[in-house]
């Protein structure tokens, strides 16, 4: 019984970490892949203060929104749903690594 709860905690941690990496990518934070795209957008908008402000505001709002979803899903207590299969866990881990690459 104790071993099963420890494994569930690890699975929850894997999904939480993958979600956090995806949220970082959407917000354009390093080391996620979305950072490169946001950096290029900032470089392209270098001459326009209004466009730079809008890009920054969009990134900040994306981060706030994603963090609220993360907080609601992963900080409200232990997960009670069924455990993911090994194939599902592998897909989540592979996608998280792809975001970092």
């Amino acid at each position: 019984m104790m071993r099963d709860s420890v494994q569930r905690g690890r699975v929850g941690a894997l999904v939480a970490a993958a979600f956090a990496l995806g949220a970082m990518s959407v917000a354009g934070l390093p080391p996620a892949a979305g950072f490169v795209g946001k950096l290029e957008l900032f470089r392209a908008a270098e001459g326009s203060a209004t466009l730079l402000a809008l890009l920054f505001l969009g990134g900040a709002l994306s981060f706030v929104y994603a963090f609220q979803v993360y907080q609601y899903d992963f900080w409200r207590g232990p997960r009670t749903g069924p455990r993911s299969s090994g194939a599902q866990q592998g897909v989540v881990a592979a996608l998280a690594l792809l975001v970092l690459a």
Side-chain angles (χ1 to χ4, degrees):
M1 182 71 158
M2 177 70 165
R3 183 175 179 207
D4 188 42
S5 65
V6 170
Q7 285 179 339
R8 284 180 191 256
R10 267 191 251 133
V11 170
L14 173 69
V15 171
F19 184 91
L21 283 172
M24 286 172 45
S25 184
V26 167
L29 299 175
F35 172 71
V36 177
K38 292 272 184 180
L39 182 64
E40 291 304 315
L41 284 173
F42 277 104
R43 285 183 181 166
E46 194 173 339
S48 173
T50 305
L51 193 52
L52 281 172
L54 288 173
L55 286 170
F56 182 76
L57 180 65
L61 289 175
S62 296
F63 180 75
V64 168
Y65 173 76
F67 184 72
Q68 285 179 346
V69 172
Y70 179 83
Q71 184 180 19
Y72 178 77
D73 279 350
F74 299 106
W75 285 4
R76 65 179 170 166
R79 314 281 287 164
T80 58
R83 187 167 187 258
S84 301
S85 70
Q88 290 171 328
Q89 292 175 27
V91 168
V92 168
L95 289 174
L97 290 173
L98 185 63
V99 166
L100 282 176

